[in-house]
Amino acid sequence: MKTMNIALALAVAAVAATACDNDPKIGPQPKPEPTPEAGTDVRVITTTGSRSFDLTESTIGFSSRDNMSPSSIYLRPQEEYQTMDGFGVAITGSTCYNLLRMNPDDRSEFLRATFSPDGGYGFSYCRISIGCSDFSLSEYTCCDTPGIENFALTDEELAYVIPVLKEILAINPDLKIMGTPWTPPRWMKVDNINDRNPHNQWTSGSLNPACYADYATYFVKWIQAFKAQGIDIYSVTPQNEPLNRGNSASCYMPWEEEREFVKALGAAFKAAGIDTRIYAFDHNYNYDNIESQKGYPLNIYADDEAAGYLAGAAYHNYGGDKDELTVVHNAMPGKDLVFTETSIGTWNDGRNLTTKLTDDMEQVTLGTVNRWCKGVIVWNLMLDEDRGPYRPGGCATCFGAVDINKDYTTITRNSHYYVIAHMSSVVKPDAVRIGTEGFTAPGLTYTAFKNTDGSYALVLSNSSSAAMNITVDDGNHHFYTEVPANSAVSYAWK
């Protein structure tokens, strides 16, 4: 009788459990997600805002079970979008100064970890200034004595920037380099193009139209001088932040003026046999709220001659919304987009990885790539613990992608280092962004790629406070993964 009671109790419990599973008041209960399987098929890199995972590497095996998961992200390789140039950082004079204060072995180790496409994170694109920026060691151009015949590389380039670039290129010979001027030589500047009174100052002023040919020659000579040092320049922009008069080194260049200069610059490149790409604009999504400057690059593209010399347009995110990238792409889909500058600092709690990691993943990398950018570059690679060195009148409140203490041995990685590393470690130059569909959730952002070797990459961000169980399916293989709360995760597999 006792045995019968136990059996009866078990039967009743089973019926009750089944009834509970299908209770119309609460509906069918979801089955637990499968757990990741052991194996080495998929490389995984994980960072959390708490740093409990800190670019931590692991592996997952492909699943041997059928994919029945409702939380599946499906890759669609047949849907191809832009081809990627790469991801990287600005190599400013300040960055080079700090790097060269390091012990050579320590510097080599850091640069290899950052730029090596094999044993490191494979940063593949960098931006340098043509002349000084607000993060240079002094204010200068390469032709401060009037007369283009006086062009010459400066001490800062020869003693700081070029040695660092050569060290990086020895690690990653395929590094792409973008050059951008903050100001023309002062003798080329006027107060405005109508009055053309001399403007012998680093800040503000305009490029004198009478100097367009000389300034185009300046670019040619600069590219040739770097070439003589063994350094190829992949791309340039005519002017950093052309609508910003207030930077410590700056020049106001509205689209009407940049359009005319681009014609001179493109013609000079063609005559010199230079194939360096030219990108227009290089400023904020909102065009600094100057009504006449809205749609800046589109206005230049309307001129066939100028458009013929332009590869595309470059953007920063200090104002406006990244959706402007989609607007510009849809209006001119044949032109490229690149994201060329953003900074963290005291104003945006830049050292707080808990808030900045996923925000920067969504705004700086994934958000721009999903809106057609083929390259992403953040501001200074390295500043010191006092946010410098920087020029008076420049940014005194910026942090670097990494900060180094004044002992020049202790490095702290900030959000911008992590978001670039999460992209460049698995998305290689010339990868193609491909389509995805399937699972979505609040706080989840992702994008997928196919590399030239046939491998796939998926990078995602989970800004929610809860972990997510996800299945990734490429049509031939699938794997299960748990994405931690407040995290960035990168995946790569053959």
Side-chain angles (χ1 to χ4, degrees):
M1 179 65 73
K2 188 173 183 179
T3 302
M4 289 178 62
N5 285 340
I6 292 174
L8 180 61
L10 290 173
V12 170
V15 172
T18 302
C20 184
D21 283 347
N22 296 286
D23 188 336
K25 295 179 182 179
I26 60 175
Q29 298 305 291
K31 292 180 170 57
E33 288 284 349
T35 57
E37 297 189 19
T40 60
D41 299 306
V42 184
R43 178 189 179 204
V44 185
I45 304 170
T46 307
T47 301
T48 55
S50 65
R51 299 184 197 262
S52 57
F53 292 87
D54 192 333
L55 292 170
T56 303
E57 299 224 13
S58 60
T59 60
I60 295 174
F62 291 141
S63 176
S64 57
R65 296 162 285 181
D66 291 340
N67 180 12
M68 305 295 289
S69 171
S71 55
S72 292
I73 296 172
Y74 296 94
L75 273 57
R76 295 293 179 248
Q78 70 276 12
E79 297 176 17
E80 295 189 347
Y81 301 97
Q82 75 270 31
T83 299
M84 302 307 299
D85 278 339
F87 303 88
V89 288
I91 306 296
T92 61
S94 299
T95 287
C96 295
Y97 174 84
N98 288 320
L99 285 168
L100 292 172
R101 296 293 296 273
M102 297 175 69
N103 175 283
D105 290 341
D106 292 342
R107 180 176 65 252
S108 178
E109 181 180 358
F110 170 74
L111 292 178
R112 285 187 178 280
T114 302
F115 291 97
S116 174
D118 300 318
Y121 300 116
F123 285 33
S124 53
Y125 211 158
C126 72
R127 183 169 176 245
I128 63 175
S129 60
I130 302 175
C132 70
S133 73
D134 50 326
F135 280 93
S136 293
L137 306 181
S138 64
E139 289 161 330
Y140 67 93
T141 71
C142 297
C143 195
D144 287 330
T145 301
I148 195 62
E149 68 276 7
N150 295 309
F151 177 95
L153 294 179
T154 68
D155 289 344
E156 181 160 324
E157 288 154 327
L158 293 170
Y160 290 92
V161 177
I162 287 173
V164 168
L165 288 177
K166 286 182 176 180
E167 194 166 343
I168 295 170
L169 285 165
I171 296 167
N172 186 349
D174 296 324
L175 179 79
K176 294 181 176 69
I177 299 171
M178 170 179 280
T180 300
W182 266 240
T183 179
R186 290 177 295 172
W187 58 270
M188 295 187 185
K189 296 173 77 172
V190 292
D191 56 354
N192 62 75
I193 65 168
N194 295 319
D195 300 331
R196 300 194 186 184
N197 296 315
H199 187 87
N200 189 30
Q201 298 178 40
W202 297 111
T203 300
S204 193
S206 298
L207 176 63
N208 187 346
C211 293
Y212 284 174
D214 277 350
Y215 196 36
T217 300
Y218 176 94
F219 275 74
V220 169
K221 287 179 174 288
W222 184 82
I223 290 170
Q224 291 172 337
F226 269 73
K227 178 72 172 180
Q229 295 284 336
I231 299 171
D232 291 324
I233 302 300
Y234 179 75
S235 58
V236 297
T237 64
Q239 174 60 44
N240 174 69
E241 298 185 353
L243 303 180
N244 177 8
R245 296 180 184 271
N247 210 339
S248 60
S250 52
C251 177
Y252 187 71
M253 188 179 286
W255 69 261
E256 300 91 337
E257 296 174 31
E258 185 164 293
R259 176 193 61 199
E260 297 308 307
F261 176 60
V262 162
K263 294 177 185 179
L265 182 61
F269 279 12
K270 184 177 181 180
I274 289 173
D275 59 2
T276 298
R277 302 181 181 204
I278 305 172
Y279 287 97
F281 190 46
D282 208 4
H283 205 174
N284 293 333
Y285 298 137
N286 66 353
Y287 310 100
D288 273 20
N289 292 317
I290 301 172
E291 191 62 33
S292 64
Q293 299 303 308
K294 297 293 177 65
Y296 189 116
L298 296 178
N299 294 324
I300 300 178
Y301 294 156
D303 184 292
D304 289 342
E305 182 183 353
Y309 291 126
L310 290 173
Y315 279 85
H316 304 179
N317 73 345
Y318 301 117
D321 188 273
K322 61 186 179 297
D323 284 341
E324 179 65 13
L325 296 167
T326 304
V327 172
V328 173
H329 169 79
N330 289 342
M332 190 60 72
K335 295 296 186 184
D336 296 340
L337 289 167
V338 289
F339 183 85
T340 49
E341 188 182 316
T342 183
S343 186
I344 49 175
T346 58
W347 70 90
N348 61 9
D349 200 16
R351 284 187 176 141
N352 185 351
L353 195 64
T354 302
T355 59
K356 294 303 294 179
L357 175 65
T358 56
D359 183 62
D360 284 337
M361 287 295 295
E362 293 167 3
Q363 298 299 323
V364 176
T365 51
L366 296 176
T368 60
V369 167
N370 281 338
R371 289 162 178 80
W372 294 95
C373 281
K374 63 186 303 177
V376 179
I377 306 171
V378 298
W379 196 207
N380 292 284
L381 169 58
M382 177 183 285
L383 294 179
D384 67 26
E385 60 187 313
D386 295 325
R387 303 185 292 277
Y390 55 84
R391 298 301 304 151
C395 181
T397 56
C398 292
F399 301 130
V402 304
D403 295 324
I404 190 165
N405 286 11
K406 287 298 185 65
D407 60 8
Y408 295 100
T409 59
T410 305
I411 291 173
T412 300
R413 298 189 291 207
N414 295 321
S415 63
H416 281 177
Y417 190 91
Y418 289 105
V419 301
I420 295 298
H422 269 281
M423 303 301 295
S424 62
S425 58
V426 295
V427 184
K428 301 307 177 182
D430 298 322
V432 176
R433 180 169 71 94
I434 59 175
T436 57
E437 63 182 29
F439 181 65
T440 61
L444 181 65
T445 306
Y446 55 83
T447 192
F449 305 84
K450 187 173 183 178
N451 288 305
T452 56
D453 65 357
S455 64
Y456 291 120
L458 177 74
V459 185
L460 55 77
S461 170
N462 174 17
S463 63
S464 74
S465 59
M468 296 185 186
N469 292 301
I470 292 172
T471 301
V472 180
D473 193 322
D474 66 17
N476 294 310
H477 302 96
H478 64 277
F479 58 89
Y480 305 108
T481 180
E482 181 180 285
V483 182
N486 190 25
S487 71
V489 188
S490 301
Y491 304 88
W493 68 97
K494 291 283 188 178

